[in-house]
Amino acid sequence: MKKNVFILISFVIVASILAGCQSKGADKLVVAARGGSHVTAMEAVKEAFEKEHNVQVEIIGLEAADLKQKISLDAKNKNGAYDLIMADDPWMPEFSEAGIFANLSKLGVTEDADFEASSLALGKHPYGTGELYALPFSGNVQLFFYNKQLLDKHNYEVPQSWEEVLSMAKTIHEQDGVAGYVIRGQQGNPIVSDFLPIFWAYGGQVFDDNWNAQIDSEAGKKALNTYIELLAVGANYETTDIVSSLATSQAAMALGWPSWFITGEEASAEYSPVPAQAADGAEAFATGMIGNWMMGVTANSKTPELAAEFLTFITSSEVQKQMVEHGGVPTRKSVYLDSELSAKYKHFPVQLEALENSVARPRTPLWSRVEEALGTELSAAIAGTKTVEAALSAANQEINQIMK
Amino acid sequence: MHSKQRFQWAMLAPVILLLTGLTVFPIGYTILNSFTDYYYLASESKQFIGFANYIKVIQDEVFLKAVWNTVKFMVLAVTAEIALGLGMAVLVESLKRGLKILRISLLLPSLLPPVTVALIWQMMLSNHNGIINHLLSYFGRGPFNFLMDIHTAFYAVLFIDIWQWTPFAFLLIYAALQAVPKLQYDAAKVDGAGRGRIFLHITLPNIMPSLMMVILLRTIDTFRLFDKVNILTGGGPANSTTTITQYIYRHGVYNLQIGYGAAASMIMVLLVLTFSIFYIKRSIGGSGHDMRY
């Protein structure tokens, strides 16, 4: 009797272990996503797909750094843990070169002209011209945020140049005692994203055509001086404080991303495209940094066809319209131009305009390292431990070293 | 081999296998990787490059700054935590009432995960909405940008660490104080010794092993400082709060430069050993004071 019980228990244990080790069937799709509003939006709409395909869609929300790390580590497994992954657009060259994404064209996903062109270009490898590896999921693009009340008080129109921004910021700071302009100067990605639009407005480019750094150009020096002057009449805040200070008239202007601010009709701050000129009458450049979150099927997905279907579903115009209600940021022109939605979300025309005139960060697989080097030196310059010239020269040197 | 020896080896085998798998192999693999240009996403093209990673790490200004910050942080944090922990333990031990409530409330900060502590303090130190700046404004001061000002960021992180880990030092020292034989105090009092002399000649020698253990644990732990810095300052401003672990994370984990990160990790291990060797020698050798924990 004892022997039989022992055999039975052993059998159950072995069967449980085997069941646990069994490869994941086609009844489940796992999405590795950037946590926050993206996950909320997907969760709100996924049910229709689950019912139609009799599949469970599990969405794992992660912080950006965790997401990048987990995707990279999983890429080396024969059978991946994730079927679909979200990627910040600067990661695209690195991930595409490493073969992390499956080729979407081979999975029957066709190019869709309804996607905003600058967003769609980010999903191709090589950038803009190559094969399609990811579709744009969230159409984040940097915008210029301002407190209308403070600007109206001084009879100011929305500034069109950075010298105008600086002059307005000085006046507001002196007369109202609030921050004229708020920078997001935390070392790393924040300060780089905050500085580059100003640098671009001055006609600067991080690299020349041969990938030589030129951050220490005249444009770089002028832009960094402007940035430091803006800080002198403003403040250096992290995201939450930028949002609340602008909403409560404690700050007049800042750069930001739509997903921070735009929560519906009651959005507190006003927004416009990022000023495109250094000074009034100067040449205008594209300055709104595009920061789309892309989504693609993993090369090691066990059910790539089903994953591709979910990707098509989640980025379709019908589903994007639904996701807007849950904090989703569209990537399709038809959603931005939808009369019902644009009547409710008054920022849509501005955001579409910003997307159309947006500029992508340099498309190199080494961008993360370049950004880190640049971020360190920009931080040193605004902290006053290095002069503008010394910081930009050091950044240039280090970026060239990375690009070797 | 005798049957007794065979039995001993059979008993030891699982532990040896476990140690080999979980400690010896990872260390050996890290050392090997530190001599390669291992980039995780292109692991097929991994090549042996000798000491190039080590040379690059040592020549990197950011790494040297990270070492300096870490050592400075370790010295200041451990000193403050031990001094405050000792003071609190002596004070609490002398109290006659409210001991239980005081002991529990004092321990609360060290029960919180470091990430939670960092997020709470980030909110409290916010220069726009933070309660600290609101309080300071009542006294006509501030607002201060504690976490983004080069003069205050390092000390803000240091303060938060001291706030969180002083209770840990207090707990161990307080436990040691409880074990000091009361007879020794009575004898000293009979001999007419004052409070200062009693503390120096009776209390301190008795709790020395615990003190050494707290110093060792906090030294090793402060060397691993990562969560708070990563959340609160990202290593800035101008690398004023960058630590070695954050440097390793940035290169080895976020940028997947495994070889380079491994070299930096090995240098960190050597540094930790250098700072801990004194305590470890005392611990293993048992010279001076017995380590009882």
Side-chain angles (χ1 to χ4, degrees):
Chain A
M1 180 62 189
K2 270 186 183 174
K3 195 178 173 187
N4 286 342
V5 171
F6 179 74
I7 289 169
L8 185 67
I9 291 171
S10 306
F11 177 77
V12 169
I13 291 170
V14 170
S16 308
I17 290 169
L18 286 176
C21 297
Q22 201 178 17
S23 62
K24 185 163 56 70
D27 56 349
K28 192 176 178 186
L29 281 178
V30 182
V31 185
R34 171 73 168 92
S37 59
H38 305 301
V39 176
T40 314
M42 266 191 281
E43 290 284 0
V45 298
K46 69 176 189 178
E47 196 181 341
F49 184 86
E50 288 179 323
K51 278 186 180 161
E52 192 186 331
H53 293 82
N54 192 27
V55 66
Q56 187 200 338
V57 179
E58 186 186 346
I59 300 158
I60 300 168
L62 298 160
E63 281 296 312
D66 279 350
L67 179 64
K68 189 182 179 204
Q69 184 202 354
K70 285 196 163 58
I71 292 171
S72 305
L73 293 177
D74 190 52
K76 292 287 165 189
N77 296 328
K78 196 180 169 195
N79 291 317
Y82 312 119
D83 300 296
L84 291 128
I85 48 172
M86 273 175 69
D88 196 0
D89 80 60
W91 305 347
M92 284 302 299
E94 190 177 8
F95 281 11
S96 302
E97 279 197 7
I100 290 176
F101 289 111
N103 186 323
L104 291 180
S105 310
K106 288 181 183 165
L107 291 171
V109 178
T110 49
E111 270 191 39
D112 189 336
D114 188 32
F115 282 115
E116 208 294 308
S118 55
S119 297
L120 193 65
L122 299 168
K124 295 179 181 179
H125 183 70
Y127 170 65
T129 57
E131 297 277 332
L132 191 63
Y133 285 92
L135 289 179
F137 173 77
S138 172
N140 248 357
V141 61
Q142 245 177 358
L143 295 173
F144 184 77
F145 288 85
Y146 60 92
N147 183 289
K148 196 167 184 308
Q149 212 178 333
L150 281 170
L151 262 61
D152 284 350
K153 190 179 165 189
H154 295 271
N155 292 320
Y156 285 145
E157 294 292 320
V158 179
Q160 299 300 311
S161 73
W162 284 98
E163 287 190 1
E164 211 181 330
V165 172
L166 181 58
S167 144
M168 286 162 61
K170 277 180 181 169
T171 308
I172 291 171
H173 178 66
E174 281 160 16
Q175 295 185 12
D176 299 289
V178 298
Y181 183 91
V182 180
I183 69 160
R184 186 173 167 232
Q186 196 176 28
Q187 188 172 315
N189 167 281
I191 196 170
V192 175
S193 304
D194 207 46
F195 170 73
L196 282 184
I198 303 174
F199 176 56
W200 289 329
Y202 277 87
Q205 288 296 323
V206 180
F207 295 106
D208 66 12
D209 293 340
N210 298 314
W211 292 100
N212 295 311
Q214 45 180 11
I215 196 83
D216 65 347
S217 57
E218 270 310 300
K221 287 169 195 163
K222 283 180 182 170
L224 189 50
N225 276 318
T226 301
Y227 195 60
I228 291 169
E229 283 186 72
L230 285 168
L231 173 61
V233 291
N236 181 4
Y237 288 167
E238 50 85 37
T239 311
T240 326
D241 282 352
I242 295 177
V243 176
S244 64
S245 61
L246 272 159
T248 57
S249 302
Q250 291 303 304
M253 297 169 280
L255 291 186
W257 300 93
S259 54
W260 295 356
F261 289 82
I262 297 157
T263 53
E265 287 171 293
E266 296 85 24
S268 318
E270 295 279 337
Y271 16 75
S272 73
V274 177
Q277 298 165 295
D280 291 343
E283 193 181 346
F285 297 92
T287 50
M289 179 189 283
I290 195 164
N292 280 192
W293 278 93
M294 311 299 289
M295 189 185 283
V297 175
T298 53
N300 57 4
S301 165
K302 289 181 285 296
T303 55
E305 289 80 13
L306 186 64
E309 278 190 56
F310 181 74
L311 181 62
T312 308
F313 164 83
I314 203 79
T315 54
S316 67
S317 56
E318 296 75 32
V319 174
Q320 283 206 355
K321 278 180 197 172
Q322 292 171 39
M323 285 198 292
V324 168
E325 303 285 344
H326 304 278
V329 183
T331 53
R332 283 177 174 274
K333 284 178 275 188
S334 63
V335 181
Y336 281 110
L337 298 172
D338 183 280
S339 54
E340 201 181 316
L341 286 177
S342 50
K344 191 173 177 184
Y345 299 98
K346 294 193 171 52
H347 60 278
F348 271 20
V350 172
Q351 201 172 327
L352 181 59
E353 187 191 339
L355 270 176
E356 285 167 348
N357 296 303
S358 61
V359 49
R361 279 159 277 190
R363 311 318 285 174
T364 163
L366 297 168
W367 178 250
S368 297
R369 293 170 63 193
V370 170
E371 187 178 69
E372 190 185 300
L374 180 55
T376 302
E377 296 304 331
L378 291 176
S379 177
I382 66 161
T385 58
K386 281 187 184 175
T387 63
V388 165
E389 287 75 15
L392 292 178
S393 167
N396 223 58
Q397 217 173 339
E398 196 158 339
I399 293 170
N400 280 333
Q401 196 67 32
I402 292 166
M403 297 302 291
K404 265 184 189 172
Chain B
M1 197 182 281
H2 296 299
S3 62
K4 190 180 172 187
Q5 276 182 317
R6 274 204 299 274
F7 177 74
Q8 284 172 342
W9 278 110
M11 289 294 102
L12 280 172
V15 179
I16 291 169
L17 279 175
L18 209 65
L19 274 176
T20 309
L22 297 179
T23 310
V24 180
F25 174 74
I27 291 173
Y29 191 58
T30 307
I31 293 170
L32 280 179
N33 279 332
S34 71
F35 296 109
T36 67
D37 62 353
Y38 187 1
Y39 165 54
Y40 188 79
L41 291 177
S43 51
E44 303 79 17
S45 58
K46 180 166 86 170
Q47 282 186 338
F48 179 79
I49 54 166
F51 283 93
N53 282 332
Y54 286 91
I55 293 165
K56 208 172 154 193
V57 170
I58 290 167
Q59 285 177 343
D60 187 353
E61 268 180 40
V62 181
F63 181 76
L64 298 178
K65 178 83 178 162
V67 171
W68 168 243
N69 285 340
T70 309
V71 172
K72 188 166 89 168
F73 187 90
M74 180 202 75
V75 171
L76 293 175
V78 174
T79 308
E81 284 162 19
I82 299 298
L84 288 170
L86 181 61
M88 279 160 60
V90 171
L91 185 73
V92 170
E93 219 238 347
S94 66
L95 293 177
K96 299 275 185 279
R97 283 183 182 181
L99 267 179
K100 277 185 184 170
I101 293 172
L102 201 62
R103 272 192 311 230
I104 292 166
S105 52
L106 280 173
L107 282 174
L108 282 177
S110 61
L111 301 178
L112 296 168
V115 174
T116 314
V117 169
L119 291 172
I120 291 170
W121 277 97
Q122 188 180 44
M123 281 191 276
M124 294 205 300
L125 290 174
S126 156
N127 51 343
H128 179 63
N129 284 325
I131 192 167
I132 308 278
N133 271 314
H134 277 290
L135 283 173
L136 287 171
S137 71
Y138 280 113
F139 301 100
R141 303 301 302 273
F144 296 105
N145 204 352
F146 292 104
L147 298 171
M148 291 200 203
D149 187 321
I150 195 152
H151 305 294
T152 53
F154 178 86
Y155 296 100
V157 178
L158 179 70
F159 172 81
I160 296 167
D161 194 79
I162 293 169
W163 176 84
Q164 183 176 20
W165 292 114
T166 296
F168 172 76
F170 155 76
L171 182 71
L172 292 193
I173 297 167
Y174 182 74
L177 281 176
Q178 301 290 299
V180 179
K182 298 285 177 272
L183 276 174
Q184 291 186 15
Y185 288 126
D186 295 339
K189 279 176 192 165
V190 170
D191 290 344
R195 279 187 177 184
R197 285 174 71 90
I198 290 176
F199 180 75
L200 276 177
H201 296 290
I202 295 177
T203 308
L204 216 48
N206 273 296
I207 63 168
M208 194 51 84
S210 298
L211 270 182
M212 295 303 287
M213 179 51 73
V214 181
I215 291 170
L216 173 65
L217 293 176
R218 291 305 305 141
T219 301
I220 293 170
D221 202 40
T222 47
F223 242 97
R224 296 184 295 135
L225 177 73
F226 172 71
D227 329 51
K228 291 188 188 87
V229 165
N230 212 42
I231 291 168
L232 294 169
T233 63
N239 283 329
S240 60
T241 58
T242 297
T243 59
I244 305 177
T245 42
Q246 210 217 3
Y247 182 89
I248 293 167
Y249 168 80
R250 281 212 302 257
H251 289 87
V253 180
Y254 188 72
N255 289 329
L256 304 164
Q257 307 289 321
I258 306 288
Y260 189 77
S265 303
M266 293 320 300
I267 294 172
M268 177 174 157
V269 168
L270 291 176
L271 284 169
V272 176
L273 278 176
T274 309
F275 280 100
S276 310
I277 207 100
F278 168 71
Y279 312 112
I280 291 170
K281 266 174 88 176
R282 290 184 79 119
S283 170
I284 296 169
S287 63
H289 304 282
D290 290 333
M291 304 296 276
R292 286 185 292 205
Y293 294 93

